[in-house]
Amino acid sequence: MTLVQLRTARPPSAVVGGPLVDPQARRVRYLRVSLTDRCNYRCTYCMPEDGIDRIARADLLTLEEIATIVQVFAGMGVERVRLTGGEPMVRRGLVELVASLAALPLDVVMTTNGARLAGLAAPLRQAGLRGLTVSLDSLDPGRFAAITRRGVLAEVLAGLEAASAAGFTGIKLNTVAIRGFNDHELGALALWAWERGHVPRFIEVMPMSGGRLYVPGELLPASEIRERVALAAGAPLVADSGEGVRGLGPATYWRVASGPHAGRRVGVIAPMTENFCGSCNRLRLSAAGSLHNCLARDDAGDLRSVLRSEGAVALAARVRAVLGYKQSGHTFALDGHGGPDKAMISIGG
Ligand code: SAM
Ligand code: SF4
């Protein structure tokens, strides 16, 4: 049975009860799905070089199980699913999975390191992938290799070209802003992205993994990120409206106010200095099938065993039960305390 057949064989009629709303009255519209805890890179802020516990193969959700779970979420009003990882492009059957999910009434988008994008951009586009976010921490090949520990910049750049050629527009480029590493490059990265029609986004580094990979002095606050981009743009940045328009995700968006880059957009993701938990609309599914209410907390509820023992019909109730425990926000502290023990690689950013 193909994934698409599986999807149509189980209509979402069992999934009723209205939209997903958490105890703080925030509506869940967005599901992030980690397809694997494997990665072909070893980014220094995301995972240690070695010594990571891996999910056993038998514990990984199958592609059919992922499709079934996403279908249940679609039936509860989730509007977007983001495929992530680890690195989603190392998961076998990815294109087939995207084709299956694309037939559901939600947008399917992906975050990738871009290493395999050159070969996969066209098939993924054809399969119905709607949006791409590509991580890019430096435009210097040596620095890129250093931060990813094994990445080849030219491969990612070729991937971005292939993605544009395949018809992806508004590709978002994710840069983790790290003082003393790439802070001097942020302006150049923004200009580079704008020239190619991409949307640069800068992320404050977060203390995942019990703070073990976090160096407090490396945090570059959102206010400084915006200053550096404004300097490169030669004009102030203005919030899209009010404090900055939020997309469906965590970024706030800013525009260049005037000059040759007037109107260009930049996104800033600032969990550390401009907390956005009040507008959280997300849940996260790990590759092993546990449902996490928050990136920054370790508590999670198991969907895999429910699906395997009771079937898809029992999933909606389980999801609502887990959501009932969603807290009002994270407790990340600037000194590196207050974060979860789980690693970013295990849940997907
Ligand atoms: N492998 C894919 C990639 O790198 O785009 C998807 C998974 S990765 C965990 C998702 C995003 O999280 C990436 O943009 C990455 O740069 C970001 N990220 C990882 N660890 C982080 C940390 N400690 N703080 C802030 N962002 C982090
Ligand atoms: Fe891999 Fe992405 Fe983590 Fe880098 S940030 S190690 S590419 S999962």
Side-chain angles (χ1 to χ4, degrees), residues 32 38-41 43 45-47 83-88 111-114 133-137 174-176 203-208 213-214 271 344-349:
R32 304 179 64 111
R38 267 72 167 171
C39 187
N40 39 10
Y41 288 2
C43 299
Y45 46 72
C46 178
M47 60 188 298
L83 305 179
T84 177
E87 173 47 42
T111 299
T112 174
N113 63 25
T133 300
V134 179
S135 295
L136 183 64
D137 289 335
N174 270 3
T175 301
V176 180
I203 309 174
E204 289 178 344
V205 66
M206 285 172 258
M208 302 292 291
L213 307 176
Y214 179 82
M344 190 66 101
I345 183 86
S346 72
I347 190 65

Side-chain angles (χ1 to χ4, degrees), residues 129-186:
L129 190 69
R130 295 285 294 270
L132 264 180
T133 300
V134 179
S135 295
L136 183 64
D137 289 335
S138 176
L139 288 170
D140 175 90
R143 309 165 64 67
F144 184 83
I147 195 84
T148 59
R149 290 205 185 95
R150 52 186 67 176
V152 178
L153 178 65
E155 291 175 357
V156 179
L157 302 188
L160 282 166
E161 277 182 29
S164 295
F168 286 101
T169 55
I171 297 170
K172 296 172 190 157
L173 300 186
N174 270 3
T175 301
V176 180
I178 305 170
R179 194 189 296 283
F181 172 72
N182 62 1
D183 48 340
H184 64 291
E185 273 196 78
L186 303 192

Side-chain angles (χ1 to χ4, degrees), residues 222-233:
S223 55
E224 263 191 74
I225 291 172
R226 288 191 292 270
E227 275 170 26
R228 284 166 200 251
V229 175
L231 194 67

